Amino acid sequence: MKVNTKELLEEIFPPFPLGDNRSLLECDFYDTHYGYFEQIDDDYLSSIGVSAEDLILEYNFDWPQFYLKIGLEAACSRSRPHEGIKTWKDVSYEYLYYFGQNCSYLSSEGFKFFLPAAFYYFLSTDENKTYMDSFVFRLNSQWEKDQHVFDDDQKKFIIEFVSDHYKGYVSWIPEL
């Protein structure tokens, strides 16, 4: 593998916008409430007896203050959260640490958006890498659904990564 991991990943996974696909933060909210921010209307809030602010605070999300503030603003405005993530290069380690376990709720395109960031932090830091287990589980359980969004070079990188770091834990590894 090349010395500069980020440059290699940028070559193989050129950055693209998330677009209308849900983010990991939205997926965390979705996992808890079975609908995302713009679907929470006054009827929903009154049926559970809370305000938009209380909805986030009452359920005691284990989010850092920055993300809690973003979630509150999104719930109050009934709009998507402004997370400051334009491409995978904007995704922080902290973000993956807190929200990576929700990658199974991403669309295939959303998964493709966040996967290079997961690779980057796995390969370039000594931080806790447990978030990667969720991404590998997603690869293992949803490869048939997701593979169409990856080109051959990306598939090759994914297969080599999984072979090198998760030997024996993944059953889907195809031959290219």
Side-chain angles (χ1 to χ4, degrees):
M1 186 169 281
K2 290 184 180 179
V3 175
N4 190 328
T5 305
K6 196 170 213 172
E7 283 181 14
L8 173 65
L9 285 169
E10 284 179 40
E11 286 175 26
I12 295 172
F13 294 92
F16 65 94
L18 184 60
D20 291 334
N21 297 294
R22 273 188 244 137
S23 69
L24 289 169
L25 174 70
E26 289 174 294
C27 288
D28 193 48
F29 196 87
Y30 178 83
D31 182 32
T32 304
H33 294 285
Y34 309 105
Y36 49 132
F37 291 99
E38 63 266 12
Q39 293 177 331
I40 295 173
D41 58 17
D42 291 333
D43 291 336
Y44 175 80
L45 291 171
S46 54
S47 73
I48 61 173
V50 296
S51 69
E53 294 93 352
D54 292 339
L55 178 66
I56 301 234
L57 296 172
E58 186 174 305
Y59 282 89
N60 195 20
F61 287 99
D62 185 25
W63 296 348
Q65 195 62 33
F66 176 73
Y67 297 113
L68 185 60
K69 182 178 179 227
I70 290 169
L72 285 169
E73 289 172 6
C76 292
S77 67
R78 308 294 204 279
S79 62
R80 292 190 73 176
H82 301 289
E83 299 173 67
I85 298 174
K86 298 194 183 342
T87 70
W88 70 260
K89 296 187 304 182
D90 300 320
V91 176
S92 69
Y93 166 79
E94 178 185 58
Y95 190 86
L96 289 173
Y97 179 80
Y98 280 96
F99 305 116
Q101 76 274 5
N102 295 293
C103 69
S104 63
Y105 296 101
L106 294 168
S107 66
S108 294
E109 293 79 11
F111 184 65
K112 182 179 179 180
F113 180 92
F114 286 100
L115 185 61
F119 286 146
Y120 175 71
Y121 290 108
F122 185 93
L123 295 171
S124 65
T125 69
D126 290 330
E127 301 285 340
N128 183 325
K129 299 176 183 187
T130 56
Y131 67 86
M132 194 69 205
D133 294 345
S134 298
F135 281 85
V136 171
F137 179 78
R138 164 74 184 250
L139 286 168
N140 196 33
S141 64
Q142 298 185 42
W143 181 249
E144 289 301 316
K145 175 186 131 189
D146 293 334
Q147 68 176 325
H148 74 279
V149 299
F150 298 105
D151 66 30
D152 287 342
D153 288 338
Q154 293 165 343
K155 288 177 185 175
K156 183 177 178 190
F157 183 92
I158 292 167
I159 291 166
E160 287 177 7
F161 175 86
V162 170
S163 295
D164 289 348
H165 301 283
Y166 286 87
K167 291 181 181 109
Y169 296 103
V170 177
S171 60
W172 59 267
I173 299 180
E175 295 294 322
L176 284 182

